[in-house]
Amino acid sequence: MEWDDFSAIDKYLRPTYFFRTHLIEQINARELAPNTAKRRMSNVVGLYRFLMTDPRLGFAPANAPWVDRSVGIRYRDSTGFNQVAQVTTTDVSIKAPRREDAWDETIDDGAKLRPLSVEEQKALIAALKRLDNLVCNLMHLVALFSGAREMTVLTLRVRDFVRPSSEVRQWPYKLRCGPGTGIDTKRDITGVYLTMGRELYEMLHAYAVSEQARRRRSRSQLGEDPFNYLFLTQHGQPYYESKEDRNVLRDTGMPLRRSARDGRRLREFIESAVIPEVRKTLPSFQYRFHDLRATFGMNWVDHATRVDGSEGVEASRSSYLLAREQLRKLMWHKNSRTTDNYLEYRERVHHIERAQAGWGSHLIGFLQGL
């Protein structure tokens, strides 16, 4: 079947509908996940829509590749008001409905993140020490101690860590991130600061001025430029290219790489070395680097919301609200509802476990009495 042949009167013999049928068959045969099929169909629709709307291409199929329809999606904005967004969908789109799992132990923070337990954190740190990969160790520690996202950790710059701690005026150390700093933030948010304690800063400073770091910088394009990346590979390549650096390269007219450096090297090391090493202690262990962000959030919540039994109700509520606002700022949350996901996480998990255990005991007792 030719990709541009839409001459068939029967719509199911046109390429888009035919491909959708093929994807549905793969889903039913469990050869393809619904979300993957949905994404593939969406990519195909995007391709044809581009071909039909770009006047330079002049693509005009003999019959419609799909039928558009407008639907309204209700959502709550950052101020708490209900809004309705109008979106366009097609009759070839594949639906992949999601249902919330009551036993889901993740936190919704832009993605489903799983906080690591204390036992898992200990096993992870011990495994990193055994692997003796200093750069990878420091990346993990930055995420664990500051809650920074992968893109932020991997775009830290040498200039921000060359001063010895004795010359830093205020602790904890506050590092401005976002557009204009060379340190990437999600959706280019500005006016945010990465906060880290003296111990972590001293480790990063020691690495920044170390022979290993200098050797890697000598193999990079920027060399000893203070704006060089703090973390580089053995070959002097960045683990992650900031948006500003990619834009500068694009403006020079130099040929761009087919794929930008986006942290893949770190993720490959985690899959091939870190996880297998941790599994020597915890056989079922699994994590993603981004889970360290949620781990930082829960570590902070567990220590910041400890309530003294002598405190009154109003004092407890005041402590809760203060912790909520502080955590929102530390993790750069635009919507405080995302922060609430952290503060309510322990209670949600414990509540369902208590309910399940209580009802289970009741049911077992009932069965034993028959």
Side-chain angles (χ1 to χ4, degrees):
M1 177 179 291
E2 294 295 331
W3 67 271
D4 58 348
D5 182 7
F6 286 86
S7 59
I9 301 300
D10 184 351
K11 68 178 184 179
Y12 292 106
L13 296 179
R14 301 170 197 165
T16 45
Y17 288 93
F18 199 81
F19 183 59
R20 182 182 188 277
T21 301
H22 169 67
L23 293 177
I24 295 296
E25 290 175 350
Q26 286 187 306
I27 293 174
N28 294 336
R30 296 188 176 182
E31 297 174 355
L32 199 64
N35 280 329
T36 305
K38 176 182 178 181
R39 185 170 61 253
R40 290 183 181 177
M41 193 69 241
S42 177
N43 289 339
V44 168
V45 170
L47 168 65
Y48 281 108
R49 198 181 293 280
F50 168 73
L51 294 173
M52 290 187 295
T53 56
D54 193 311
R56 297 170 299 174
L57 302 176
F59 178 67
N63 290 290
W66 59 75
V67 176
D68 280 322
R69 64 188 181 92
S70 180
V71 297
I73 298 179
R74 186 180 299 276
Y75 69 97
R76 180 168 294 179
D77 62 22
S78 58
T79 59
F81 291 99
N82 289 325
Q83 304 286 350
V84 176
Q86 294 295 326
V87 299
T88 301
T89 186
T90 71
D91 61 345
V92 296
S93 300
I94 294 178
K95 296 181 180 180
R98 296 181 180 178
R99 296 292 183 268
E100 293 187 12
D101 180 8
W103 291 95
D104 185 15
E105 295 187 357
T106 63
I107 295 175
D108 189 357
D109 186 358
K112 293 290 187 178
L113 311 182
R114 185 182 71 85
L116 304 186
S117 66
V118 174
E119 181 185 15
E120 289 176 320
Q121 293 177 58
K122 290 180 179 178
L124 174 60
I125 292 174
L128 289 169
K129 287 183 178 179
R130 291 194 298 270
L131 291 170
D132 196 26
N133 186 316
L134 179 58
V135 173
C136 185
N137 289 1
L138 291 175
M139 291 174 179
H140 279 72
L141 291 178
V142 173
L144 277 171
F145 281 99
S146 69
R149 298 178 184 275
E150 180 186 79
M151 65 176 65
T152 302
V153 174
L154 301 187
T155 53
L156 294 175
R157 305 290 174 158
V158 175
R159 66 178 182 182
D160 298 309
F161 302 97
V162 293
R163 291 182 298 166
S165 58
S166 59
E167 296 181 9
V168 177
R169 297 180 179 179
Q170 185 178 4
W171 296 102
Y173 181 61
K174 294 176 65 177
L175 176 61
R176 193 167 71 89
C177 304
T181 67
I183 302 175
D184 278 7
T185 55
K186 186 177 181 181
R187 298 193 181 95
D188 294 331
I189 58 175
T190 60
V192 292
Y193 291 84
L194 195 64
T195 306
M196 60 183 69
R198 188 178 193 127
E199 296 81 2
L200 177 59
Y201 178 89
E202 288 178 344
M203 285 188 281
L204 296 174
H205 166 71
Y207 174 72
V209 299
S210 68
E211 181 58 32
Q212 177 183 344
R214 287 196 178 100
R215 188 166 54 249
R216 295 190 177 199
R217 288 197 293 271
S218 68
R219 298 167 182 164
S220 68
Q221 290 184 344
L222 292 178
E224 285 300 326
D225 188 327
F227 200 67
N228 205 343
Y229 293 94
L230 177 64
F231 299 126
L232 297 169
T233 68
Q234 294 180 353
H235 303 289
Q237 301 294 337
Y239 285 87
Y240 194 107
E241 287 180 303
S242 72
K243 296 174 185 175
E244 290 183 21
D245 288 347
R246 291 199 297 271
N247 290 337
V248 169
L249 183 62
R250 185 178 293 108
D251 292 340
T252 62
M254 296 176 62
L256 300 177
R257 280 179 293 276
R258 295 183 63 179
S259 59
R261 297 184 178 94
D262 58 357
R264 186 178 298 111
R265 292 285 296 275
L266 172 61
R267 293 191 292 273
E268 288 174 352
F269 182 76
I270 288 174
E271 288 292 332
S272 63
V274 182
I275 292 178
E277 185 66 28
V278 179
R279 283 180 176 173
K280 294 178 181 178
T281 306
L282 302 175
S284 60
F285 179 77
Q286 182 67 36
Y287 84 113
R288 297 175 301 164
F289 187 82
H290 206 30
D291 290 335
L292 303 180
R293 172 176 169 81
T295 305
F296 161 80
M298 286 312 307
N299 286 344
W300 195 90
V301 167
D302 289 342
H303 287 79
T305 58
R306 287 177 179 173
V307 179
D308 186 346
S310 62
E311 294 182 3
V313 174
E314 286 301 320
S316 299
R317 175 173 173 77
S318 176
S319 298
Y320 177 90
L321 294 176
L322 178 61
R324 179 178 188 250
E325 184 61 15
Q326 288 176 329
L327 183 62
R328 185 187 69 80
K329 293 177 180 178
L330 283 171
M331 302 194 72
W332 310 344
H333 290 154
K334 178 181 178 181
N335 192 336
S336 57
R337 180 57 205 163
T338 305
T339 314
D340 290 339
N341 292 337
Y342 285 88
L343 293 165
E344 298 168 1
Y345 176 79
R346 295 282 187 230
E347 181 60 26
R348 174 174 63 83
V349 173
H350 291 165
H351 183 271
I352 193 170
E353 288 177 348
R354 288 196 301 268
Q356 181 72 10
W359 174 249
S361 299
H362 173 77
L363 186 59
I364 291 297
F366 177 72
L367 292 173
Q368 289 175 345
L370 293 178

